Amino acid sequence: MTHSPEKTIPPVGTPGSPREEAPQPGMRRVASASFIGTVIEFYDFGIYGTAAALVFPQIFFPALGQAEGTIASFAALGVAFVARPFGSILFGHFGDRLGRKKSLIATMLLMGLATILVGCMPTANQIGIAAPILIVVLRVLQGLAAGGEFAGAVLFSSEHAPQGKRGFWSSFANLGGGAAIILANATFFLTAVFMSETTFTSWGWRIPFLSSFLLVLFGLWVRLRMDETPVFKKQAAQSGTSRMPFVEAFTHQPKQVLLAAGTVMVGFALTYIGGTYLVSYGTAVLELPRTFVLGMAMVGGLAISAGVVLGAVLSDRIGRRWVIAGAASVAVVWALALFPILDIGSRTVFAIGLPVTMFISGVATGPQGAFLSELFHTRYRYTAAGLSYSLAGMLGGGVPPLIAASVIDSFGGFAFGCILASVCLVSLTCVLTVGETRELELDRDTAEATA
Protein backbone atom coordinates (compact mmCIF):
# COMPACT_ATOMS: atom_id res chain seq x y z
CA MET A 1 0.00 0.00 0.00
CA THR A 2 1.33 3.47 -0.88
CA HIS A 3 1.16 6.12 1.80
CA SER A 4 0.83 9.77 0.90
CA PRO A 5 3.01 12.36 2.66
CA GLU A 6 2.11 13.24 6.20
CA LYS A 7 -0.11 16.26 6.63
CA THR A 8 0.08 18.89 9.30
CA ILE A 9 -2.73 18.69 11.79
CA PRO A 10 -4.51 21.97 12.45
CA PRO A 11 -3.71 23.40 15.88
CA VAL A 12 -6.29 23.31 18.60
CA GLY A 13 -7.28 26.90 18.08
CA THR A 14 -8.55 26.40 14.51
CA PRO A 15 -12.27 26.95 13.97
CA GLY A 16 -14.56 23.98 14.30
CA SER A 17 -14.76 21.28 16.89
CA PRO A 18 -14.92 17.49 16.76
CA ARG A 19 -18.31 16.07 15.90
CA GLU A 20 -20.49 15.21 18.86
CA GLU A 21 -21.94 11.94 17.58
CA ALA A 22 -24.07 9.85 19.87
CA PRO A 23 -22.30 6.78 21.27
CA GLN A 24 -22.46 3.81 18.93
CA PRO A 25 -24.63 0.88 19.98
CA GLY A 26 -22.87 -1.17 22.62
CA MET A 27 -20.33 1.55 23.47
CA ARG A 28 -20.87 1.10 27.19
CA ARG A 29 -20.33 -2.62 26.83
CA VAL A 30 -17.12 -2.04 24.85
CA ALA A 31 -15.81 0.44 27.43
CA SER A 32 -16.67 -1.98 30.24
CA ALA A 33 -14.71 -4.75 28.53
CA SER A 34 -11.74 -2.42 28.13
CA PHE A 35 -12.02 -1.34 31.76
CA ILE A 36 -12.42 -4.83 33.25
CA GLY A 37 -9.63 -6.31 31.19
CA THR A 38 -7.20 -3.57 32.16
CA VAL A 39 -8.17 -3.89 35.83
CA ILE A 40 -7.19 -7.54 35.73
CA GLU A 41 -4.01 -7.04 33.71
CA PHE A 42 -2.68 -4.20 35.85
CA TYR A 43 -3.87 -5.70 39.10
CA ASP A 44 -1.54 -8.58 38.28
CA PHE A 45 1.20 -6.18 37.25
CA GLY A 46 0.61 -3.85 40.20
CA ILE A 47 0.57 -6.33 43.07
CA TYR A 48 4.18 -7.14 42.29
CA GLY A 49 5.04 -3.47 42.86
CA THR A 50 3.32 -3.47 46.25
CA ALA A 51 4.94 -6.75 47.24
CA ALA A 52 8.32 -5.43 46.06
CA ALA A 53 7.89 -2.51 48.44
CA LEU A 54 6.69 -4.54 51.43
CA VAL A 55 8.03 -8.10 51.54
CA PHE A 56 10.14 -9.15 48.53
CA PRO A 57 13.39 -7.66 49.93
CA GLN A 58 13.09 -10.02 52.91
CA ILE A 59 11.92 -13.19 51.14
CA PHE A 60 13.75 -13.07 47.82
CA PHE A 61 16.78 -10.85 48.55
CA PRO A 62 17.44 -11.39 52.29
CA ALA A 63 21.24 -11.52 52.00
CA LEU A 64 21.41 -7.95 50.65
CA GLY A 65 19.91 -6.14 53.63
CA GLN A 66 16.92 -3.79 53.63
CA ALA A 67 18.25 -0.94 51.44
CA GLU A 68 20.04 -3.10 48.89
CA GLY A 69 17.21 -5.65 48.95
CA THR A 70 14.72 -2.90 48.13
CA ILE A 71 16.89 -1.77 45.22
CA ALA A 72 17.14 -5.35 43.93
CA SER A 73 13.42 -5.84 44.34
CA PHE A 74 12.66 -2.73 42.30
CA ALA A 75 15.30 -3.78 39.78
CA ALA A 76 13.24 -6.92 39.21
CA LEU A 77 10.23 -4.63 38.84
CA GLY A 78 12.20 -2.66 36.25
CA VAL A 79 12.98 -5.81 34.25
CA ALA A 80 9.31 -6.00 33.29
CA PHE A 81 9.49 -2.49 31.88
CA VAL A 82 12.45 -3.51 29.72
CA ALA A 83 10.38 -6.43 28.43
CA ARG A 84 7.33 -4.28 27.66
CA PRO A 85 8.54 -2.85 24.31
CA PHE A 86 9.20 -6.40 23.08
CA GLY A 87 5.69 -7.36 24.18
CA SER A 88 4.32 -4.37 22.27
CA ILE A 89 6.12 -5.48 19.12
CA LEU A 90 5.07 -9.12 19.53
CA PHE A 91 1.41 -8.66 20.42
CA GLY A 92 1.14 -5.51 18.31
CA HIS A 93 2.23 -7.53 15.28
CA PHE A 94 -0.63 -9.98 15.73
CA GLY A 95 -3.03 -7.26 16.83
CA ASP A 96 -2.40 -5.37 13.59
CA ARG A 97 -2.48 -8.51 11.44
CA LEU A 98 -5.18 -10.67 13.04
CA GLY A 99 -7.22 -8.21 15.11
CA ARG A 100 -7.32 -6.48 18.48
CA LYS A 101 -9.51 -9.09 20.19
CA LYS A 102 -7.27 -12.13 19.64
CA SER A 103 -4.17 -10.33 20.85
CA LEU A 104 -5.94 -9.06 23.98
CA ILE A 105 -7.03 -12.57 24.92
CA ALA A 106 -3.44 -13.79 24.56
CA THR A 107 -2.03 -11.01 26.77
CA MET A 108 -4.52 -11.79 29.52
CA LEU A 109 -3.67 -15.51 29.51
CA LEU A 110 0.07 -14.82 29.69
CA MET A 111 -0.27 -12.24 32.48
CA GLY A 112 -2.54 -14.51 34.52
CA LEU A 113 -0.23 -17.51 34.24
CA ALA A 114 2.87 -15.54 35.24
CA THR A 115 1.10 -13.94 38.22
CA ILE A 116 -0.23 -17.23 39.58
CA LEU A 117 3.27 -18.72 39.34
CA VAL A 118 4.68 -15.79 41.36
CA GLY A 119 2.20 -16.71 44.08
CA CYS A 120 3.53 -20.27 44.04
CA MET A 121 7.22 -19.30 44.16
CA PRO A 122 9.53 -20.80 46.81
CA THR A 123 11.55 -18.22 48.75
CA ALA A 124 15.31 -17.66 48.78
CA ASN A 125 15.54 -19.53 52.09
CA GLN A 126 14.02 -22.58 50.38
CA ILE A 127 15.79 -22.71 47.00
CA GLY A 128 18.55 -20.14 47.29
CA ILE A 129 19.61 -18.01 44.33
CA ALA A 130 17.14 -19.79 42.04
CA ALA A 131 14.31 -17.84 43.70
CA PRO A 132 15.30 -14.33 42.54
CA ILE A 133 16.25 -15.71 39.11
CA LEU A 134 12.81 -17.28 38.66
CA ILE A 135 11.14 -14.09 39.87
CA VAL A 136 12.98 -12.16 37.16
CA VAL A 137 11.84 -14.68 34.51
CA LEU A 138 8.22 -14.32 35.60
CA ARG A 139 8.56 -10.55 35.60
CA VAL A 140 9.75 -10.73 31.99
CA LEU A 141 6.59 -12.68 31.09
CA GLN A 142 4.45 -10.12 32.91
CA GLY A 143 6.24 -7.33 31.06
CA LEU A 144 5.62 -8.97 27.68
CA ALA A 145 1.92 -9.29 28.50
CA ALA A 146 1.59 -5.73 29.81
CA GLY A 147 3.39 -4.44 26.71
CA GLY A 148 0.67 -5.85 24.51
CA GLU A 149 -2.28 -5.10 26.80
CA PHE A 150 -2.69 -1.36 27.07
CA ALA A 151 -2.59 -0.42 23.40
CA GLY A 152 -5.08 -3.15 22.56
CA ALA A 153 -7.45 -2.13 25.36
CA VAL A 154 -7.27 1.52 24.32
CA LEU A 155 -7.80 0.76 20.63
CA PHE A 156 -10.73 -1.47 21.49
CA SER A 157 -12.50 1.56 22.96
CA SER A 158 -11.21 4.31 20.67
CA GLU A 159 -11.91 2.41 17.44
CA HIS A 160 -15.54 1.98 18.52
CA ALA A 161 -16.00 5.51 19.91
CA PRO A 162 -17.53 8.60 18.24
CA GLN A 163 -14.88 11.19 17.41
CA GLY A 164 -16.14 13.96 19.70
CA LYS A 165 -16.14 11.66 22.75
CA ARG A 166 -13.06 9.63 21.92
CA GLY A 167 -11.04 11.01 24.84
CA PHE A 168 -13.74 10.03 27.32
CA TRP A 169 -14.38 6.51 26.02
CA SER A 170 -10.68 5.77 25.50
CA SER A 171 -9.98 6.67 29.12
CA PHE A 172 -11.73 3.56 30.44
CA ALA A 173 -8.53 1.55 29.94
CA ASN A 174 -6.71 4.08 32.13
CA LEU A 175 -9.55 3.97 34.66
CA GLY A 176 -8.96 0.24 34.83
CA GLY A 177 -5.39 0.98 35.86
CA GLY A 178 -6.62 3.23 38.68
CA ALA A 179 -9.04 0.59 39.85
CA ALA A 180 -6.23 -1.97 39.76
CA ILE A 181 -4.16 0.21 42.11
CA ILE A 182 -7.06 0.31 44.56
CA LEU A 183 -7.70 -3.42 44.29
CA ALA A 184 -4.05 -4.41 44.60
CA ASN A 185 -3.49 -2.29 47.69
CA ALA A 186 -6.83 -3.37 49.17
CA THR A 187 -5.84 -7.02 49.04
CA PHE A 188 -2.55 -6.29 50.78
CA PHE A 189 -4.35 -4.01 53.26
CA LEU A 190 -6.80 -6.75 54.22
CA THR A 191 -4.08 -9.35 54.63
CA ALA A 192 -2.10 -6.91 56.76
CA VAL A 193 -5.14 -6.19 58.95
CA PHE A 194 -6.14 -9.81 59.52
CA MET A 195 -2.66 -11.32 59.75
CA SER A 196 0.37 -10.73 61.89
CA GLU A 197 3.42 -9.32 60.14
CA THR A 198 5.15 -12.68 60.52
CA THR A 199 2.28 -14.56 58.92
CA PHE A 200 1.98 -11.98 56.15
CA THR A 201 5.69 -12.24 55.34
CA SER A 202 5.60 -16.03 55.58
CA TRP A 203 2.68 -16.79 53.26
CA GLY A 204 0.00 -14.08 53.38
CA TRP A 205 1.62 -12.11 50.56
CA ARG A 206 0.79 -15.00 48.21
CA ILE A 207 -2.99 -14.50 48.48
CA PRO A 208 -3.23 -11.48 46.12
CA PHE A 209 -1.25 -13.34 43.45
CA LEU A 210 -3.23 -16.57 43.67
CA SER A 211 -6.53 -14.67 43.79
CA SER A 212 -5.90 -13.36 40.27
CA PHE A 213 -6.98 -16.77 38.93
CA LEU A 214 -10.66 -15.90 39.40
CA LEU A 215 -10.17 -12.44 37.94
CA VAL A 216 -8.51 -13.86 34.83
CA LEU A 217 -11.37 -16.30 34.26
CA PHE A 218 -13.87 -13.45 34.49
CA GLY A 219 -11.81 -11.25 32.17
CA LEU A 220 -11.56 -13.97 29.55
CA TRP A 221 -15.33 -14.47 29.66
CA VAL A 222 -15.86 -10.75 29.04
CA ARG A 223 -13.37 -10.47 26.18
CA LEU A 224 -14.46 -13.62 24.39
CA ARG A 225 -17.97 -12.13 24.10
CA MET A 226 -16.78 -8.95 22.33
CA ASP A 227 -16.64 -8.34 18.57
CA GLU A 228 -13.66 -6.97 16.62
CA THR A 229 -13.44 -3.16 16.20
CA PRO A 230 -15.16 -1.63 13.15
CA VAL A 231 -12.07 0.42 12.23
CA PHE A 232 -9.89 -2.70 12.03
CA LYS A 233 -12.51 -4.64 10.08
CA LYS A 234 -12.85 -1.78 7.57
CA GLN A 235 -9.08 -1.59 7.12
CA ALA A 236 -8.77 -5.35 6.63
CA ALA A 237 -11.64 -5.45 4.14
CA GLN A 238 -10.58 -2.47 2.03
CA SER A 239 -6.80 -2.75 1.81
CA GLY A 240 -5.70 -5.71 3.89
CA THR A 241 -3.47 -5.72 6.95
CA SER A 242 0.22 -4.98 7.24
CA ARG A 243 2.67 -7.86 6.90
CA MET A 244 5.29 -6.02 8.99
CA PRO A 245 3.59 -3.34 11.13
CA PHE A 246 6.75 -2.62 13.11
CA VAL A 247 8.69 -1.84 9.92
CA GLU A 248 5.85 0.28 8.56
CA ALA A 249 5.60 2.28 11.78
CA PHE A 250 9.28 3.21 11.68
CA THR A 251 9.17 3.81 7.94
CA HIS A 252 6.31 6.30 8.04
CA GLN A 253 6.18 7.76 11.57
CA PRO A 254 9.48 7.22 13.44
CA LYS A 255 9.52 10.68 15.04
CA GLN A 256 5.95 10.31 16.25
CA VAL A 257 6.78 7.00 17.97
CA LEU A 258 9.62 8.62 19.92
CA LEU A 259 7.81 11.88 20.67
CA ALA A 260 4.73 9.97 21.83
CA ALA A 261 6.93 7.93 24.17
CA GLY A 262 8.39 11.12 25.60
CA THR A 263 4.91 12.60 26.03
CA VAL A 264 3.59 9.62 27.99
CA MET A 265 6.58 9.42 30.37
CA VAL A 266 5.17 11.91 32.87
CA GLY A 267 2.18 9.74 33.73
CA PHE A 268 4.33 6.66 34.23
CA ALA A 269 6.88 8.45 36.39
CA LEU A 270 4.31 9.92 38.78
CA THR A 271 2.20 6.75 38.91
CA TYR A 272 5.05 4.42 39.83
CA ILE A 273 6.63 6.86 42.27
CA GLY A 274 3.29 7.60 43.93
CA GLY A 275 1.71 4.15 43.71
CA THR A 276 4.75 1.96 44.25
CA TYR A 277 7.87 3.67 45.59
CA LEU A 278 6.08 5.87 48.13
CA VAL A 279 4.61 2.70 49.69
CA SER A 280 8.18 1.58 50.40
CA TYR A 281 9.29 5.10 51.38
CA GLY A 282 6.40 5.55 53.77
CA THR A 283 6.96 2.27 55.61
CA ALA A 284 10.78 1.89 55.50
CA VAL A 285 12.02 5.50 55.62
CA LEU A 286 9.24 7.51 57.27
CA GLU A 287 8.33 4.48 59.48
CA LEU A 288 4.60 5.02 59.07
CA PRO A 289 2.27 2.09 59.85
CA ARG A 290 1.84 -0.33 56.96
CA THR A 291 -1.96 -0.25 57.12
CA PHE A 292 -1.95 3.57 56.99
CA VAL A 293 0.39 3.63 54.00
CA LEU A 294 -1.68 1.02 52.14
CA GLY A 295 -4.83 2.96 52.96
CA MET A 296 -3.30 6.10 51.43
CA ALA A 297 -2.27 4.06 48.40
CA MET A 298 -5.92 3.13 47.92
CA VAL A 299 -6.85 6.81 48.19
CA GLY A 300 -4.17 7.39 45.57
CA GLY A 301 -5.99 4.96 43.28
CA LEU A 302 -9.16 7.01 43.69
CA ALA A 303 -7.20 10.21 43.04
CA ILE A 304 -5.64 8.95 39.81
CA SER A 305 -9.07 7.76 38.62
CA ALA A 306 -10.56 11.20 39.25
CA GLY A 307 -7.65 12.78 37.41
CA VAL A 308 -8.10 10.43 34.45
CA VAL A 309 -11.77 11.39 34.07
CA LEU A 310 -11.00 15.10 34.33
CA GLY A 311 -8.11 14.92 31.87
CA ALA A 312 -10.08 12.84 29.37
CA VAL A 313 -13.16 15.07 29.42
CA LEU A 314 -11.07 18.23 29.12
CA SER A 315 -9.17 16.74 26.21
CA ASP A 316 -12.40 16.34 24.25
CA ARG A 317 -13.04 20.05 24.79
CA ILE A 318 -9.65 21.76 24.46
CA GLY A 319 -7.41 19.09 22.93
CA ARG A 320 -5.09 16.32 24.08
CA ARG A 321 -1.91 18.37 23.82
CA TRP A 322 -2.91 21.20 26.13
CA VAL A 323 -4.23 18.94 28.88
CA ILE A 324 -1.05 16.84 28.94
CA ALA A 325 1.10 19.97 28.74
CA GLY A 326 -0.74 21.57 31.66
CA ALA A 327 -0.39 18.48 33.83
CA ALA A 328 3.31 18.11 32.94
CA SER A 329 3.94 21.75 33.86
CA VAL A 330 2.37 21.27 37.28
CA ALA A 331 4.28 18.00 37.67
CA VAL A 332 7.65 19.74 37.19
CA VAL A 333 6.97 22.00 40.18
CA TRP A 334 5.37 19.26 42.29
CA ALA A 335 8.30 16.89 41.74
CA LEU A 336 10.70 19.43 43.25
CA ALA A 337 8.50 19.96 46.31
CA LEU A 338 7.34 16.38 46.96
CA PHE A 339 10.14 14.79 48.98
CA PRO A 340 11.05 17.86 51.07
CA ILE A 341 7.37 17.97 52.05
CA LEU A 342 7.17 14.24 52.76
CA ASP A 343 10.28 14.38 54.92
CA ILE A 344 8.31 16.33 57.50
CA GLY A 345 7.25 12.82 58.41
CA SER A 346 3.67 13.37 59.53
CA ARG A 347 0.71 11.26 58.50
CA THR A 348 -1.16 14.36 57.31
CA VAL A 349 1.61 15.34 54.92
CA PHE A 350 1.87 11.80 53.53
CA ALA A 351 -1.93 11.71 53.16
CA ILE A 352 -1.63 14.80 50.95
CA GLY A 353 1.59 13.99 49.08
CA LEU A 354 0.70 10.57 47.69
CA PRO A 355 -2.84 11.33 46.43
CA VAL A 356 -1.79 14.67 44.88
CA THR A 357 1.01 12.92 43.02
CA MET A 358 -1.47 10.36 41.70
CA PHE A 359 -4.06 13.00 40.76
CA ILE A 360 -1.57 14.94 38.63
CA SER A 361 -0.57 11.67 37.01
CA GLY A 362 -4.23 10.92 36.26
CA VAL A 363 -4.81 14.26 34.53
CA ALA A 364 -1.76 13.66 32.33
CA THR A 365 -2.84 10.07 31.65
CA GLY A 366 -6.52 10.74 30.85
CA PRO A 367 -6.00 11.95 27.24
CA GLN A 368 -3.26 9.44 26.41
CA GLY A 369 -5.46 6.66 25.05
CA ALA A 370 -7.08 8.93 22.47
CA PHE A 371 -3.80 10.72 21.76
CA LEU A 372 -1.93 7.50 20.95
CA SER A 373 -4.83 6.09 18.93
CA GLU A 374 -5.20 9.23 16.82
CA LEU A 375 -1.52 9.72 16.17
CA PHE A 376 -0.95 6.52 14.18
CA HIS A 377 -2.40 4.90 11.07
CA THR A 378 -4.67 1.85 11.42
CA ARG A 379 -2.29 -0.52 9.60
CA TYR A 380 0.29 -0.31 12.39
CA ARG A 381 -1.61 1.53 15.15
CA TYR A 382 -1.50 -1.33 17.69
CA THR A 383 2.26 -1.76 17.28
CA ALA A 384 3.15 1.94 17.20
CA ALA A 385 0.89 2.99 20.07
CA GLY A 386 1.95 0.03 22.20
CA LEU A 387 5.64 0.59 21.50
CA SER A 388 5.42 4.30 22.36
CA TYR A 389 3.59 3.49 25.57
CA SER A 390 6.05 0.74 26.54
CA LEU A 391 9.14 2.84 25.84
CA ALA A 392 7.63 5.50 28.09
CA GLY A 393 7.00 2.85 30.73
CA MET A 394 10.57 1.60 30.55
CA LEU A 395 12.07 5.08 30.95
CA GLY A 396 9.42 6.83 33.05
CA GLY A 397 8.01 3.95 35.08
CA GLY A 398 11.01 1.64 35.38
CA VAL A 399 13.99 3.92 35.95
CA PRO A 400 12.78 6.41 38.63
CA PRO A 401 11.65 3.78 41.19
CA LEU A 402 14.85 1.82 40.53
CA ILE A 403 17.20 4.72 41.30
CA ALA A 404 15.05 6.49 43.89
CA ALA A 405 16.31 4.60 46.97
CA SER A 406 20.00 4.98 46.16
CA VAL A 407 19.73 8.64 45.07
CA ILE A 408 17.71 9.63 48.12
CA ASP A 409 20.02 7.68 50.42
CA SER A 410 23.13 9.35 48.96
CA PHE A 411 21.98 12.85 48.01
CA GLY A 412 18.59 13.43 49.62
CA GLY A 413 15.01 13.69 48.45
CA PHE A 414 15.38 17.03 46.66
CA ALA A 415 18.09 15.58 44.40
CA PHE A 416 15.75 12.82 43.33
CA GLY A 417 12.99 15.40 42.90
CA CYS A 418 15.22 17.16 40.36
CA ILE A 419 15.54 13.92 38.40
CA LEU A 420 11.78 13.39 38.52
CA ALA A 421 11.19 16.98 37.42
CA SER A 422 13.53 16.43 34.47
CA VAL A 423 11.42 13.49 33.31
CA CYS A 424 8.30 15.66 33.51
CA LEU A 425 10.08 18.42 31.59
CA VAL A 426 10.92 15.98 28.79
CA SER A 427 7.23 15.12 28.51
CA LEU A 428 6.29 18.79 28.42
CA THR A 429 8.76 19.44 25.61
CA CYS A 430 7.60 16.43 23.58
CA VAL A 431 3.88 17.14 23.84
CA LEU A 432 4.40 20.75 22.80
CA THR A 433 6.30 19.49 19.76
CA VAL A 434 3.66 16.98 18.67
CA GLY A 435 0.69 18.32 16.71
CA GLU A 436 -2.87 18.16 18.06
CA THR A 437 -4.70 14.94 17.16
CA ARG A 438 -8.24 15.55 18.39
CA GLU A 439 -9.83 16.25 14.99
CA LEU A 440 -8.43 13.24 13.14
CA GLU A 441 -10.50 10.33 11.84
CA LEU A 442 -9.20 6.94 12.99
CA ASP A 443 -10.05 5.27 9.67
CA ARG A 444 -8.21 7.82 7.54
CA ASP A 445 -6.20 6.44 4.64
CA THR A 446 -2.96 8.18 5.47
CA ALA A 447 -0.91 8.60 8.63
CA GLU A 448 -1.76 12.20 9.38
CA ALA A 449 0.51 13.41 12.12
CA THR A 450 3.05 16.11 12.63
CA ALA A 451 6.19 16.48 14.66
Side-chain angles (χ1 to χ4, degrees):
M1 177 178 176
T2 301
H3 294 268
S4 55
E6 295 180 355
K7 301 176 183 178
T8 301
I9 300 167
V12 178
T14 55
S17 60
R19 298 191 305 272
E20 297 291 331
E21 304 98 323
Q24 298 179 8
M27 196 61 232
R28 290 182 178 85
R29 182 180 172 189
V30 169
S32 297
S34 180
F35 171 81
I36 293 168
T38 312
V39 167
I40 295 165
E41 289 280 351
F42 288 94
Y43 166 81
D44 290 352
F45 200 75
I47 55 177
Y48 181 93
T50 305
L54 296 177
V55 296
F56 280 6
Q58 300 97 291
I59 63 177
F60 290 118
F61 307 97
L64 298 179
Q66 180 61 41
E68 289 78 8
T70 299
I71 294 172
S73 202
F74 279 109
L77 176 69
V79 165
F81 286 104
V82 176
R84 284 176 81 151
F86 298 98
S88 298
I89 295 170
L90 174 64
F91 291 106
H93 177 84
F94 293 107
D96 283 321
R97 281 185 58 79
L98 304 178
R100 315 324 191 186
K101 176 180 174 178
K102 293 178 181 178
S103 196
L104 282 171
I105 291 171
T107 62
M108 181 171 289
L109 284 171
L110 181 59
M111 178 67 83
L113 175 63
T115 303
I116 292 166
L117 289 177
V118 171
C120 298
M121 272 289 301
T123 66
N125 289 334
Q126 294 171 318
I127 61 172
I129 195 172
I133 292 174
L134 289 173
I135 279 292
V136 170
V137 171
L138 294 175
R139 285 299 292 163
V140 169
L141 295 178
Q142 284 188 318
L144 291 173
E149 162 63 25
F150 179 81
V154 162
L155 298 191
F156 210 73
S157 291
S158 66
E159 290 184 350
H160 278 93
Q163 184 182 10
K165 296 291 185 181
R166 196 181 292 143
F168 171 73
W169 290 112
S170 298
S171 71
F172 275 78
N174 296 109
L175 281 175
I181 293 172
I182 299 170
L183 185 59
N185 285 286
T187 54
F188 280 101
F189 178 85
L190 291 174
T191 54
V193 168
F194 293 105
M195 294 180 180
S196 67
E197 186 167 345
T198 301
T199 303
F200 177 75
T201 304
S202 176
W203 59 267
W205 64 271
R206 298 180 185 275
I207 294 176
F209 291 91
L210 298 175
S211 298
S212 68
F213 175 74
L214 296 176
L215 294 175
V216 170
L217 287 180
F218 179 67
L220 286 173
W221 176 75
V222 170
R223 284 190 169 171
L224 286 168
R225 296 172 66 239
M226 301 306 301
D227 193 15
E228 186 53 74
T229 73
V231 173
F232 177 81
K233 288 192 289 187
K234 179 181 177 181
Q235 170 72 40
Q238 290 184 347
S239 56
T241 58
S242 172
R243 294 184 62 187
M244 294 295 293
F246 176 76
V247 174
E248 282 200 35
F250 274 92
T251 298
H252 298 287
Q253 292 185 276
K255 290 188 293 185
Q256 284 82 356
V257 170
L258 298 177
L259 286 170
T263 296
V264 176
M265 279 173 56
V266 60
F268 269 109
L270 295 182
T271 296
Y272 280 90
I273 287 300
T276 299
Y277 180 71
L278 288 188
V279 174
S280 172
Y281 192 78
T283 54
V285 178
L286 301 180
E287 298 182 344
L288 297 172
R290 177 184 295 172
T291 51
F292 170 76
V293 172
L294 288 172
M296 288 303 100
M298 286 188 281
V299 175
L302 293 172
I304 196 172
S305 298
V308 164
V309 173
L310 177 62
V313 171
L314 283 176
S315 79
D316 281 331
R317 294 178 177 274
I318 65 174
R320 325 300 182 205
R321 176 172 54 175
W322 299 116
V323 174
I324 299 173
S329 300
V330 173
V332 170
V333 178
W334 180 250
L336 295 173
L338 177 59
F339 282 92
I341 292 174
L342 289 177
D343 285 342
I344 294 174
S346 73
R347 294 191 185 193
T348 301
V349 169
F350 191 85
I352 295 171
L354 191 153
V356 169
T357 302
M358 299 297 275
F359 178 78
I360 298 170
S361 173
V363 176
T365 300
Q368 287 175 1
F371 169 76
L372 291 172
S373 298
E374 294 159 347
L375 191 60
F376 300 110
H377 179 46
T378 307
R379 286 175 59 83
Y380 48 78
R381 180 175 291 136
Y382 198 136
T383 299
L387 185 58
S388 297
Y389 187 79
S390 294
L391 289 173
M394 183 173 66
L395 298 174
V399 174
L402 174 61
I403 67 173
S406 58
V407 170
I408 292 173
D409 187 57
S410 300
F411 304 104
F414 182 74
F416 177 72
C418 291
I419 296 173
L420 188 59
S422 299
V423 173
C424 301
L425 189 60
V426 169
S427 289
L428 176 60
T429 304
C430 288
V431 75
L432 291 177
T433 304
V434 176
E436 179 57 55
T437 62
R438 180 173 53 130
E439 298 179 5
L440 287 177
E441 297 281 357
L442 289 187
D443 58 357
R444 63 193 184 275
D445 291 330
T446 58
E448 298 179 20
T450 186

